[in-house]
Amino acid sequence: MRPVADLPGGPGRSTRRPDRSDVAGPVWTIVLAGGGGTRFGGPKQFFDLGGEPLLAHPVAAARAASDGIVVVVPAATVDGWAPPPGVRLTTGGATRAESVRAGLAAVPVDAGIIVITDAAHPLATPALYRCVVDEIRAGADAAVPGLPLTEVVKEIRVAGGIQAAGGIQAAGEIKPTGGVGPSPRLVAGASLPRETHRLVQTPHAFRADLLRAAHAGAREAVEDSAMVAEAGGLVVVVPGEPANIHVTTPDELAMARLLLTHVRSEGESDEFGTGRVHAVR
């Protein structure tokens, strides 16, 4: 990887992007679908969405915008799902970062741009995939889709104790590290400024060399664009798609089922479905 100071957007550097319209190498997409669905109550990637497994939808969209696809699946089962011709399967790891690295190992070394998406965002259109890829060709090191915040986002803490003395006060507060449990007593902290924050979706696109370098140390991270940004890379945010919801719970899957018809009618309906129409180039 280039030194941080040499990267566009690094310390002391301009955020003006160099022209990279001739990025060498094909575009490959890694579809992360190796989770066990702990919060959902089962491997949601194999639950039905419009007559197909959830997983089939990001694969179909990616096929319309990629030269090759790797799908990262659980070691235990793929529940009878057969990938379209030309799509590679590999087994995921215990963490998201390990699954990304498993996918990277299956992507050819000559790939110039790598897109990472997940089965939990099944309604992203092929146009959104192309949009983040185009940003890499225009000079970005990474590109992610984001939506403006429309609600107030508060920092919260779980109260270890509550006492009423001149008002409600919190004692022994701790920050939640995951689920906060049933009916917790929450204390509100600071509000995030909506103008300077975005809700980030997938797919994410990357310069292949920088993404591989970011994972070379086998470190853990919640998502990959943060790793590239920490290394000094320029991460561009493009407009996201409101219907591209994150399916984490059964209620959100029900919502995705309602949105699917809208997405297909308003988006590029001919590019959706099982992917049988679009062969990997």
Side-chain angles (χ1 to χ4, degrees), residues 7-276:
L7 289 169
R13 304 291 293 184
S14 168
T15 56
R16 181 176 61 84
R17 293 172 290 173
D19 178 28
R20 197 176 291 125
S21 57
D22 60 343
V23 172
V27 176
W28 276 74
T29 295
I30 298 171
V31 181
L32 299 175
T38 302
R39 288 176 292 179
F40 189 89
K44 62 177 178 284
Q45 61 270 44
F46 302 116
F47 277 65
D48 178 79
L49 176 60
E52 302 174 88
L54 201 75
L55 169 59
H57 294 269
V59 170
R63 281 167 65 84
S66 307
D67 298 297
I69 298 175
V70 173
V71 180
V72 182
V73 295
T77 177
V78 294
D79 278 16
W81 179 74
V87 173
R88 301 182 179 184
L89 291 184
T90 191
T91 301
T95 66
R96 183 188 184 281
E98 289 179 4
S99 291
V100 170
R101 288 192 284 272
L104 288 174
V107 171
V109 295
D110 67 342
I113 296 173
I114 297 177
V115 178
I116 295 182
T117 190
D118 52 61
H121 286 88
L123 301 183
T125 67
L128 190 58
Y129 284 78
R130 295 192 191 100
C131 186
V132 291
V133 167
D134 286 346
E135 289 294 333
I136 307 303
R137 298 195 189 282
D141 295 308
V144 302
L147 294 176
L149 299 179
T150 57
E151 303 279 4
V152 174
V153 178
K154 302 285 290 185
E155 177 186 309
I156 62 166
R157 294 171 182 263
V158 178
I162 296 289
Q163 62 181 29
I168 297 178
Q169 297 179 353
E173 295 178 11
I174 57 172
K175 287 186 178 180
T177 56
V180 292
S183 302
R185 181 66 66 90
L186 303 180
V187 177
S191 298
L192 295 180
R194 285 182 285 188
E195 298 78 11
T196 56
H197 290 78
R198 292 291 184 271
L199 294 174
V200 173
Q201 307 168 320
T202 64
H204 299 177
F206 302 88
R207 275 186 50 195
D209 58 339
L210 292 186
L211 181 62
R212 291 186 187 278
H215 276 278
R219 55 170 293 197
E220 293 299 319
V222 174
E223 56 93 21
D224 309 277
S225 68
M227 297 170 67
V228 172
E230 288 169 7
L234 176 64
V235 180
V236 172
V237 180
V238 305
E241 295 176 337
N244 183 23
I245 63 172
H246 187 182
V247 177
T248 305
T249 67
D251 286 343
E252 289 163 339
L253 177 57
M255 186 181 300
R257 288 169 176 160
L258 293 174
L259 287 168
L260 180 61
T261 300
H262 168 76
V263 170
R264 284 177 167 171
S265 63
E266 295 295 323
E268 304 173 41
S269 58
D270 61 318
E271 295 189 322
F272 283 96
T274 61
R276 286 189 291 268

